[in-house]
Amino acid sequence: RKEVEQDPGPFNVPEGATVAFNCTYSNSASQSFFWYRQDCRKEPKLLMSVYSSGNEDGRFTAQLNRASQYISLLIRDSKLSDSATYLCVVKILTAGNKLTFGGGTRVLVKP
Amino acid sequence: DADVTQTPRNRITKTGKRIMLECSQTKGHDRMYWYRQDPGLGLQLIYYSFDVKDINKGEISDGYSVSRQAQAKFSLSLESAIPNQTALYFCATSDGTSGEQYFGPGTRLTVT
């Protein structure tokens, strides 16, 4: 089983709609959680950190459920520019603070 | 100018050749990383370095070696390239506190 698993998608989303997707992690020692965004053939970039109480950044909302070991990302009022692959990333304290990346969820926003 | 640069950006090489990928950063970070990305598999850590004298193997270090020439430079070598090393390679840096990593633009390597 992969340490960090994501639905690869694609999630086809009409412009203006809301889309949400999850990521599950298997290591209960996971300490910190992030969502990165990766455009086609480009480098990943940090979208947002995920805090225990949940957090928002504009149209993006991230949630953490430690009991069920998953995190989620919700995008409201989707824009064409939101089309990208979203990478779920977990930092495990006992693994030397290295980051473990999920395979990514592809989102396609269409007019 | 980009904070993390990689050279070359694209490379085609033949099986058995030695190849070096280079990474430089101007962010002043101590920590540097090399990843490879294959379609659908996410990023896999090859090697990482927390300072100039510290080199650690990642998940998939076989067939690769690294050199940390200075705080700002971290190079990845494929001693004898094989076709299944065809992938997109990323270098990244971090300050070790926030968890955020800053990635270079990637090197697309094809081994024929």
Side-chain angles (χ1 to χ4, degrees):
Chain A
R1 182 185 174 189
K2 292 181 182 178
E3 287 197 55
V4 181
E5 295 204 60
Q6 297 183 247
D7 182 338
F11 285 63
N12 294 300
V13 185
E15 190 176 9
T18 295
V19 60
F21 42 89
N22 294 339
C23 157
T24 58
Y25 60 94
S26 60
N27 192 326
S28 58
S30 299
Q31 178 192 33
S32 304
F33 308 88
F34 310 88
W35 284 105
Y36 277 67
R37 171 192 168 127
Q38 186 175 24
D39 294 305
C40 187
R41 296 175 180 259
K42 300 284 189 181
E43 70 272 26
K45 294 183 179 180
L46 180 66
L47 176 66
M48 60 195 302
S49 301
V50 185
Y51 302 125
S52 296
S53 55
N55 49 297
E56 272 189 27
D57 184 359
R59 297 179 294 106
F60 297 84
T61 300
Q63 297 278 359
L64 167 64
N65 185 318
R66 285 193 183 271
S68 300
Q69 296 189 187
Y70 74 87
I71 66 173
S72 63
L73 182 66
L74 181 145
I75 307 173
R76 285 185 300 278
D77 188 20
S78 298
K79 310 292 185 189
L80 297 177
S81 57
D82 294 333
S83 295
T85 296
Y86 292 85
L87 305 175
C88 173
V89 184
V90 173
K91 184 168 79 166
I92 302 171
L93 179 61
T94 55
N97 285 332
K98 299 189 302 295
L99 299 185
T100 301
F101 288 78
T105 295
R106 191 170 173 215
V107 172
L108 296 174
V109 182
K110 300 187 175 181
Chain B
D1 288 342
D3 293 322
V4 185
T5 57
Q6 292 183 233
T7 57
R9 294 294 311 280
N10 289 282
R11 180 73 182 266
I12 300 173
T13 192
K14 293 186 183 296
T15 297
K17 293 292 187 181
R18 184 178 189 275
I19 183 168
M20 180 181 289
L21 309 183
E22 300 193 10
C23 175
S24 294
Q25 54 112 348
T26 58
K27 298 192 74 66
H29 290 163
D30 287 326
R31 300 185 177 199
M32 298 188 73
Y33 309 80
W34 274 105
Y35 294 91
R36 67 175 278 174
Q37 186 174 37
D38 299 274
L41 292 182
L43 285 93
Q44 296 175 275
L45 184 62
I46 307 172
Y47 270 95
Y48 62 102
S49 169
F50 284 176
D51 65 42
V52 175
K53 296 180 180 178
D54 177 74
I55 301 289
N56 304 280
K57 292 183 177 181
E59 309 163 89
I60 55 163
S61 58
D62 288 348
Y64 302 94
S65 63
V66 292
S67 174
R68 185 81 184 266
Q69 301 96 322
Q71 186 206 36
K73 296 184 182 295
F74 192 34
S75 60
L76 175 72
S77 294
L78 285 69
E79 298 301 326
S80 179
I82 55 177
N84 77 0
Q85 290 177 313
T86 293
L88 184 56
Y89 289 84
F90 286 106
C91 173
T93 75
S94 76
D95 62 10
T97 56
S98 68
E100 181 174 3
Q101 292 189 4
Y102 298 83
F103 286 81
T107 294
R108 187 164 297 277
L109 177 66
T110 303
V111 184
T112 61

